[in-house]
Structure formats: C-alpha cells, structure tokens
Amino acid sequence: MSKIILTGDRPTGKLHIGHYVGSLKQRVELQNSGLYDEIYIMLADAQALTDNADNPRKVRDNILEVALDYLACGIDPQKSVIFIQSQLPQLYELSFHYMNLVTVSRVQRNPTVKAEIAQKNFEQSIPVGFFAYPISQAADITAFEANIVPVGEDQKPMLEQTVEIVRKFNSVYGPTLVEPQILLASNTACLRLPGTDGKAKMSKSIGNCIYLSDCEKDVHDKVFDMYTDPGHLRATDPGKVEGNTVFTYLDAFAEDADFEKFNSPYANLDEMKAHYRKGGLGDVAVKKFLNAVMQELLGPIRARRQEYAQDLPFVIDLLKKGTEQARAKAANTLSKVRRAMCLDHFAPDGLGSHTGS
Ligand code: ATP
Ligand code: MG
C-alpha cells in the first residue's frame, strides 16, 4: 500500500513555534526521508471560516503568510503538494455524505470541540459548520487516502473520529476508505506547546505566541516576559521546573550541543534544571539561554521567509499547481465514494440497471 501523508493548518494567523515543534518540523523530516509516496499539505481556509465567518479577509491574507512559513521551514513544493482546501468542492461533498454517519452526541463528546467551544465562548451560539468541522476533517484526510497524519496532540480526537467514520462507511458501503494513523511528535514537550502566558496551548486565536516570523527583538521581549515559577522570587530561592513554561520550551527546543555552543556552565538541561531546583539560578540567566536557542533556530527561518516574500507570484503559482494536483486526487476518491453509495446514477450500471424488468 502507498504511504500517503495529509496534514495542514488553518490560515487564521502566521505560524508559531508550537506549530513548528508540534508538526512542521516533523513534516520536513518525513518529506526529506524519501519514505513517502505522496505528501499533501492543506491550507484549511474553509475550516478557518467555520469560526471566522465574518472575517474572510483575515483568512485570505493568512493563506500566503502560512505558505511562506511552510517554505521558510523547508517544505519543498517539489516533494510536498501544498494546496488550498476551499478550492476542492469534492471535500464539501464528502463532508456532506459523512454527516449521515455521525451523531450529534458523538461530536458533542469530542474533547477538542468541547474545549474550543468554551475558548471561543460559543456555548449559546455554536455555528453548525464549526460544530461539524471534525467531519470535514475526516473528508480532508480520506480524500487523499492518507494513512499517516502528523499533527499536534489536540488533533487526536479528530483522528479518532475519522477512524470511526472510515469504519462505519466501509461497513455500510463496502471497503472504500483508507484508515489513517496519527503521528505525534516523540518529544512530549512538543505535543502541545503552552503559550508564553503559560496557558494550556500556544494558539494563534489566543495571541500568546512566538511567531516564526517575529523579529529578533520581539522574540527576545517575549522570552523575557515569559511566565516562570511564581514562587521563585529571588535567584537564591529553590524553583520549580514542572509547569514552568521557560523550562518546557527548553525541553522542546534545547539540544545538548546548545549548552557548549552558548557557553553555558551546564553540560545539559538536566544539570541546569537541578541547579534551578536547588536554588541559586535566576530566571534571567535561564531566559538568556532560551533566547539564544530561539534566535539560533528562528534566524535562518526568518531570512528564508523574507526571500520567498520577495517573490509572491512564485508562491501563488505553486499554490495553484498544488491545488490542481490535489483536486485530481480528491476527485478520484469522490468517484469511488459515489459509486459505493449508489450515487453514480448515470453510469452504465446506474439508474434502471436493477429494475428486473
Ligand atoms: P487556531 O487557534 O486558529 O485553531 P492553532 O494555533 O490551533 O490555530 P491550527 O491551524 O489549528 O493552529 O493547528 C495546526 C497544527 O498545529 C495542528 O496539527 C495542531 O495540532 C498543531 N498545533 C497547534 N498549536 C500547537 C501547539 N501549541 N503545540 C503543538 N502543536 C500545535
Ligand atoms: Mg487549532
């Protein structure tokens, strides 16, 4: 069986370092491994509109921003197909058919949907499209016959729901759809990177982000404003590392080699943590080190991004070509789905072929 990847992002803002460690970094590694037959990366503008219906400009403007972030991080359009979701009507049709296979109470139980409804204060006024987005996500994944979906941990319930839809579809209409598997980052700090405010998740919609495109000064200022251990008032106080966002970021980003590179007195993160726990290591010193690590990672990404931003016609053209390629793939799956559901009425064995007269 072919190895096919589908993943993507909502163009609701520029991408941030949570996206990088949660999914983007891994996508680039998978892409460059040469082990995958097809890789599709989706700009989920239609999904972004489910909770931004009154702000279409924001969604449009962020399509190019996210595409630039992809290219800056090393997504190679020769190896990965980057496409725009809304330009594939096949995805809307698949969603429509899958809606019959999912109950309202099942979506209501989806923990990510629940958390996002609370976060967006939608309790009394949930848009139907937003409520149904796990179903449209199943359409996106299955349209590409993807068996590998590299995403952040918040997407786990979406993948579970997709697998249920695939099984239900195949049991009702016969084997048609491919069952996907989630691929999470192996480093647990990367699964759901917290925001700089220490909140549960760095998220474009909350605005607690360090963006891949932030300038050097913004990265520095955000790092130095970060939440640490509120009980660690003086450098001499013993400090907590667990739940301390600065250390969570070091878990996600720092490598042993960085300690030597940036002249740290510690050989590795464990030694630094031990000193912080014991007392005698101030937040400023830890933040200085984190800032050095972040600047080293983000500097080249920012520079590449600026280069691509000089040539937007090139970026638009690759999105157009990618979208055409993706549309052909989705159309192929949709025709299999229609056939399985007895919706290929005008095929030779369609309408009238089983009347028995
Ligand atoms: P929005 O607030 O509009 O939902 P978002 O920041 O959650 O934006 P998405 O476009 O929904 O970003 O998510 C894109 C991908 O990045 C998904 O695979 C998601 O799991 C992953 N991701 C998003 N935020 C984080 C994070 N803080 N840590 C790890 N992975 C993340
Ligand atoms: Mg999200």
Side-chain angles (χ1 to χ4, degrees):
M1 192 166 66
S2 307
K3 290 172 87 175
I4 303 178
I5 292 178
L6 179 279
T7 179
D9 304 273
R10 294 153 38 96
T12 49
K14 298 175 181 183
L15 297 187
H16 53 63
I17 57 172
H19 297 121
Y20 182 77
V21 285
S23 173
L24 210 41
K25 184 174 166 209
Q26 200 178 25
R27 287 182 211 172
V28 174
E29 286 163 6
L30 296 172
Q31 169 196 272
N32 294 340
S33 73
L35 295 173
Y36 295 86
D37 301 297
E38 295 167 50
I39 303 177
Y40 297 94
I41 305 186
M42 180 178 78
L43 292 155
D45 60 337
Q47 191 193 113
L49 285 169
T50 64
D51 57 328
N52 289 279
D54 52 356
N55 212 344
R57 278 270 150 204
K58 171 176 124 180
V59 174
R60 166 178 267 188
D61 292 346
N62 281 305
I63 288 178
L64 285 178
E65 297 291 354
V66 176
L68 287 172
D69 287 326
Y70 286 165
L71 297 168
C73 287
I75 297 292
D76 175 354
Q78 302 293 328
K79 298 179 185 158
S80 300
V81 178
I82 309 175
F83 71 96
I84 306 179
Q85 183 189 31
S86 65
Q87 306 305 298
L88 275 59
Q90 294 80 4
L91 301 179
Y92 303 126
E93 184 174 334
L94 287 174
S95 305
F96 190 82
H97 296 318
Y98 296 170
M99 280 188 202
N100 302 331
L101 306 176
V102 182
T103 63
V104 170
S105 64
R106 174 62 185 89
V107 181
Q108 255 161 353
R109 281 201 310 274
N110 184 312
T112 303
V113 174
K114 261 196 203 164
E116 290 180 347
I117 285 172
Q119 182 214 321
K120 294 172 205 293
N121 297 319
F122 270 167
E123 280 89 348
Q124 296 310 315
S125 54
I126 310 168
V128 175
F130 178 79
F131 187 72
Y133 96 77
I135 302 169
S136 98
Q137 220 160 298
D140 304 332
I141 295 167
T142 54
F144 294 91
E145 305 186 302
N147 33 29
I148 311 282
V149 184
V151 281
E153 196 188 31
D154 64 316
Q155 295 302 308
K156 218 170 154 197
M158 303 301 163
L159 264 290
E160 284 161 8
Q161 189 132 33
T162 300
V163 168
E164 281 172 37
I165 291 172
V166 168
R167 290 186 183 163
K168 177 94 183 176
F169 189 102
N170 289 347
S171 77
V172 177
Y173 303 114
T176 313
L177 302 176
V178 175
E179 212 172 285
Q181 236 181 19
I182 192 168
L183 188 64
L184 294 169
S186 50
N187 178 341
T188 51
C190 301
L191 291 174
R192 191 183 292 246
L193 196 76
T196 49
D197 56 358
K199 288 238 172 80
K201 180 175 164 294
M202 180 173 286
S203 168
K204 322 181 198 91
S205 303
I206 302 178
N208 53 3
C209 310
I210 295 178
Y211 293 98
L212 296 175
S213 49
D214 274 345
C215 67
E216 197 174 331
K217 180 174 182 307
D218 285 353
V219 174
H220 172 277
D221 293 354
K222 287 179 187 182
V223 167
F224 278 82
D225 278 350
M226 268 170 73
Y227 172 93
T228 59
D229 168 15
H232 186 245
L233 298 175
R234 285 170 300 269
T236 47
D237 292 339
K240 264 203 207 120
V241 164
E242 291 71 28
N244 182 329
T245 315
V246 176
F247 279 98
T248 308
Y249 282 24
L250 287 174
D251 278 327
F253 294 97
E255 289 167 11
D256 284 357
D258 293 328
F259 288 83
E260 200 184 330
K261 201 182 302 166
F262 301 120
N263 297 319
S264 164
Y266 313 102
N268 53 43
L269 189 53
D270 286 341
E271 282 187 13
M272 187 184 225
K273 283 181 178 173
H275 193 186
Y276 192 83
R277 284 198 182 100
K278 197 164 90 177
L281 174 56
D283 285 337
V284 171
V286 185
K287 287 180 172 178
K288 256 192 185 158
F289 180 68
L290 175 62
N291 181 55
V293 171
M294 296 305 325
Q295 300 289 0
E296 160 121 327
L297 169 73
L298 297 176
I301 293 177
R302 190 188 306 123
R304 275 196 301 272
R305 199 181 191 282
Q306 280 163 358
E307 270 176 42
Y308 284 111
Q310 306 281 318
D311 192 1
L312 290 183
F314 165 80
V315 181
I316 294 167
D317 189 56
L318 76 86
L319 292 180
K320 191 162 173 243
K321 290 193 177 118
T323 300
E324 278 156 17
Q325 205 176 328
R327 196 186 293 122
K329 176 82 181 182
N332 188 43
T333 304
L334 179 61
S335 63
K336 290 186 203 167
V337 162
R338 283 185 172 188
R339 189 162 178 77
M341 294 179 73
C342 296
L343 289 170
D344 55 343
H345 298 314
F346 299 113
D349 55 352
L351 284 178
S353 63
H354 300 295
T355 51
S357 56

